[in-house]
Amino acid sequence: MRDIFCLATTFLILPNLLLAATVAVGVTEPITTVSLSMTETGRVETITVTEGSRVIAGASLIILDRRIEELDRRSKKIALEDRSAITELEERINILSDQLEKARTLLADGGVSHKQVQDEQIALMTAQSQLLALREKKRREAIDFDLAEENYERRQLLAPTEGIVTQINVAIGETVTPQETIIELVNVSEIKFRGNFSVADEGRFEEGQDATLRVWQNGQELQRHAVVVYVAPVADPSSGLIEVIAKIENQDLSVIPGTTAELIDTRQDVQ
């Protein structure tokens, strides 16, 4: 059963006019909370963060032992970068092409036979086929190197988003398995408000509208600009409450998520 929040009424005082503002009561949440795990089994070699570390998206968090993957990557890279056989064949093809042209010139003067010209053509075609095969081999080696790179990179855990590390469940030297949660990452640079307002209220929140978040923490009241991103299309039949969700910028981390808050519709419809 959905939680039922107590509703409050806020009044906007204007000269000679008292307006009741629609208020939703709810809680603040981090914009994302992510449980991270490895995709490979392995022994933890390096932990680059501690609990409380603030990281950016793409930051390295944990590295598994990957000496075997490193050796495989280096081996594949050496094979891919070795172009000596291709260079040799390209030079040979240039020589054979010159020889074929000279043989054709001599054939016109009767200096060589048709058989000699055909032999030169066959030698050139063979070298060209060998060069084509070597280039195809290099393409396969490029794919092998990409796979080796991928296997190497999969041995480290990267942050999928910016945030703060709140929990580390592994130590250096321990073995981890796939799908085992080893790090909790919370992004509080943006806050989500989730609450309810009464269907009986005169006003109604609308998606995309501006609103004000009011929260009490550390003995003081904080107010922040909010944008409504979701309003439930139906009310809860047992309580008559409508769910509303809003987002609030929190780059300075001044709002601590997990606290009770109010979302106030500050629009004023004055005749």
Side-chain angles (χ1 to χ4, degrees), residues 36 38 46-50 53-63 66 153 155-165 183 185:
L36 303 177
M38 300 297 302
T46 305
I47 300 176
T48 61
V49 293
T50 59
S53 295
R54 189 171 184 179
V55 299
I56 62 173
S60 177
L61 306 177
I62 287 180
I63 301 174
R66 50 184 180 178
E153 293 300 330
R155 304 289 290 180
Q156 73 171 330
L157 182 63
L158 303 179
T161 180
E162 66 172 300
I164 298 174
V165 177
I183 281 187
L185 185 65

Side-chain angles (χ1 to χ4, degrees), residues 122-140:
I122 291 172
L124 177 60
M125 292 173 61
T126 300
Q128 289 172 334
S129 297
Q130 291 173 343
L131 179 60
L132 180 61
L134 279 178
R135 286 174 174 167
E136 288 298 323
K137 181 181 178 183
K138 284 300 170 188
R139 278 192 276 269
R140 292 193 297 271

